[in-house]
Amino acid sequence: MSEAGQRVVILGGGVIGSSIAYHITLLNKDPNLKVTVVEQTAIGCAASGKAGGFLSYDWCDKGPLQDLARKSFKLHAELAKTLNGKKRYDYRVVDTLEVTASTKAVSVKPPPTDWLKPGVITKYKSIGTTQTTAQLHPYKFTKTLIEEAESRGAEVRIASAQGLEFDKYKVSGVRLSTNETIPADIIIIAMGPWSGEALSWLAKKSGRAFQLPNVSGQRAHSIVVRPTVEISAHVCFVTLNLGRRFSQPEIYPRPNGEVYVSGECDESPLPATANDYVPNPTAIKNLKNNINTLSPDILGNATVLHEQCCYMPISDDDKPLIGKVPWLDGVYLATGHSVWGILNSSGTGKVIAEMVLEGQAKFADVRALAPMRPKNHYIH
């Protein structure tokens, strides 16, 4: 082992941090290694608990995420068998459709499912099958990973990270909002949209400018409804022409009878914590109008269970930061996953665990996602 540090501290209790905790405790062979997850609010309380949970095998092809995404998709299927994902976090394979609809449609087609309204669908096509697309409940999945990690000795601390301590360029601890410092040999920053502040700690410690993209948050809205009838397992990505504007709702039926509907992204300042999330009322209204247009009798009449928003962690160059910070000893990044955080959480957790415990990533090729970016890019 190249870095058999006895004390590993993971900053962030979302799906990425929880996956890292799961895989480190799974791969670890050092009985003295201690894993602590520091989460400022609650496990899975932010985007990890309010996402759609969609998984795709090949939608990240022809880019730097291809290898990680393909292997993460397969790993999700393996984890579902190992962890009884069908029961514990609603894992299942699905058919996925691209649907075009219009309130001004002249030429219409019969809807591809019996829960979409006739008379508004202008075209549709399959963009995923049960071989290439799947879904899970992201909050339940995150909780399952943490429960498994805790069963192998990991500890969860509810506190906010305020900064890092160093012995020269070797990390030695993390300062918490509880006015204490947790000793650490290895720090892994997986703080989602709040990672930007932590990146500034690293830049200040460098003594000179290094190329680190910033990580910030983009607000996305969703509602969760419960119809009175069971609907088919067709995930639908819709382009809806409303006359004066277009909308692009995504509809995810879940095996527990709920239907998750998302869309309506906008720019809004990142709140201090997930407890401070406030959705835009207009965005929520638009999502309700969308399902009432597309499925008035079933989704339009469904009971609304949740009206919510989350902030997706997005880096300046739209690529996640996965790997070791090269000018510091014992600091790793796993953040900025954007819309593919749930999909790539499994693989990210495994490659970070391999880096920490074995010195290099073997599961997937993530070299293009290393925190250091090419020159002439934004310097944090």
Side-chain angles (χ1 to χ4, degrees):
M1 297 182 187
S2 64
E3 291 201 31
Q6 294 184 347
R7 299 160 299 187
V8 176
V9 178
I10 302 165
L11 304 183
V15 70
I16 302 295
S18 298
S19 179
I20 294 168
Y22 172 86
H23 284 286
I24 286 181
T25 56
L26 180 66
L27 296 178
N28 175 49
K29 297 178 181 178
D30 179 1
N32 296 316
L33 186 140
K34 178 178 175 59
V35 176
T36 303
V37 178
V38 175
E39 163 56 42
Q40 69 172 343
T41 305
I43 296 297
C45 65
S48 300
K50 296 178 174 66
F54 179 70
L55 312 174
S56 172
Y57 175 66
D58 55 6
W59 287 22
C60 295
D61 279 5
K62 299 181 181 179
L65 285 171
Q66 176 173 320
D67 193 51
L68 178 64
R70 282 180 168 237
K71 290 176 178 175
S72 292
F73 182 83
K74 292 180 178 180
L75 182 55
H76 272 293
E78 295 170 11
L79 288 173
K81 293 178 181 178
T82 301
L83 301 175
N84 192 14
K86 181 178 180 180
K87 180 178 181 180
R88 294 178 73 181
Y89 51 85
D90 298 339
Y91 175 90
R92 69 175 176 182
V93 295
V94 295
D95 288 300
T96 305
L97 301 172
E98 180 181 83
V99 178
T100 303
S102 175
T103 57
K104 307 292 185 179
V106 176
S107 176
V108 298
K109 292 186 176 182
T113 71
D114 58 7
W115 48 270
L116 287 173
K117 177 186 176 182
V120 296
I121 308 301
T122 57
K123 61 181 179 179
Y124 62 86
K125 66 178 180 179
S126 172
I127 53 175
T129 69
T130 54
Q131 300 299 310
T132 61
T133 51
Q135 69 177 153
L136 53 76
H137 193 297
Y139 175 74
K140 294 179 182 179
F141 177 61
T142 303
K143 291 286 287 184
T144 296
L145 294 177
I146 278 291
E147 289 168 4
E148 293 293 317
E150 287 180 313
S151 74
R152 294 190 285 263
E155 177 187 4
V156 175
R157 292 288 306 273
I158 301 300
S160 173
Q162 301 292 302
L164 303 180
E165 296 288 338
F166 292 90
D167 180 3
K168 296 184 178 178
Y169 289 97
K170 173 75 172 75
V171 71
S172 61
V174 55
R175 297 191 303 276
L176 301 183
S177 55
T178 53
N179 294 322
E180 60 183 311
T181 298
I182 297 179
D185 300 292
I186 294 170
I187 292 284
I188 303 163
I189 296 171
M191 297 165 60
W194 293 280
S195 297
E197 180 181 359
L199 298 185
S200 69
W201 306 337
L202 309 183
K204 291 176 183 177
K205 185 62 182 175
S206 71
R208 63 187 180 91
F210 283 90
Q211 285 74 22
L212 274 182
N214 189 29
V215 175
S216 56
Q218 182 181 43
R219 186 168 64 172
H221 295 82
S222 60
I223 58 175
V224 181
V225 302
R226 182 181 292 279
T228 57
V229 297
E230 184 177 349
I231 67 174
S232 61
H234 288 87
V235 171
C236 293
F237 289 78
V238 183
T239 298
L240 176 59
N241 183 349
L242 296 168
R244 293 187 176 181
R245 72 180 188 93
F246 284 85
S247 186
Q248 294 184 306
E250 301 173 6
I251 304 174
Y252 304 86
R254 288 174 168 168
N256 65 354
E258 298 176 354
V259 179
Y260 174 96
V261 183
S262 65
E264 299 293 324
C265 294
D266 61 13
E267 301 296 331
S268 178
L270 178 68
T273 73
N275 283 341
D276 301 317
Y277 282 0
V278 178
N280 181 340
T282 300
I284 297 299
K285 180 181 178 181
N286 288 341
L287 289 175
K288 291 178 179 179
N289 289 340
N290 289 342
I291 61 173
N292 194 53
T293 299
L294 295 164
S295 178
D297 296 333
I298 297 178
L299 299 185
N301 284 326
T303 300
V304 178
L305 303 177
H306 303 288
E307 302 175 357
Q308 58 195 17
C309 70
C310 66
Y311 286 74
M312 297 179 292
I314 299 177
S315 72
D316 285 346
D317 60 2
D318 293 323
K319 297 190 299 184
L321 288 70
I322 301 174
K324 191 176 186 300
V325 176
W327 67 88
L328 297 172
D329 188 1
V331 180
Y332 296 79
L333 301 181
T335 186
H337 288 71
S338 186
V339 298
W340 295 115
I342 305 301
L343 167 65
N344 289 317
S345 63
S346 59
T348 297
K350 189 162 185 175
V351 297
I352 289 292
E354 290 173 339
M355 290 178 187
V356 170
L357 299 177
E358 301 172 0
Q360 61 179 331
K362 302 174 183 178
F363 174 72
D365 184 357
V366 293
R367 289 173 294 178
L369 308 176
M372 289 289 285
R373 300 303 206 220
K375 292 181 179 180
N376 301 321
H377 187 67
Y378 175 86
I379 298 177
H380 197 286

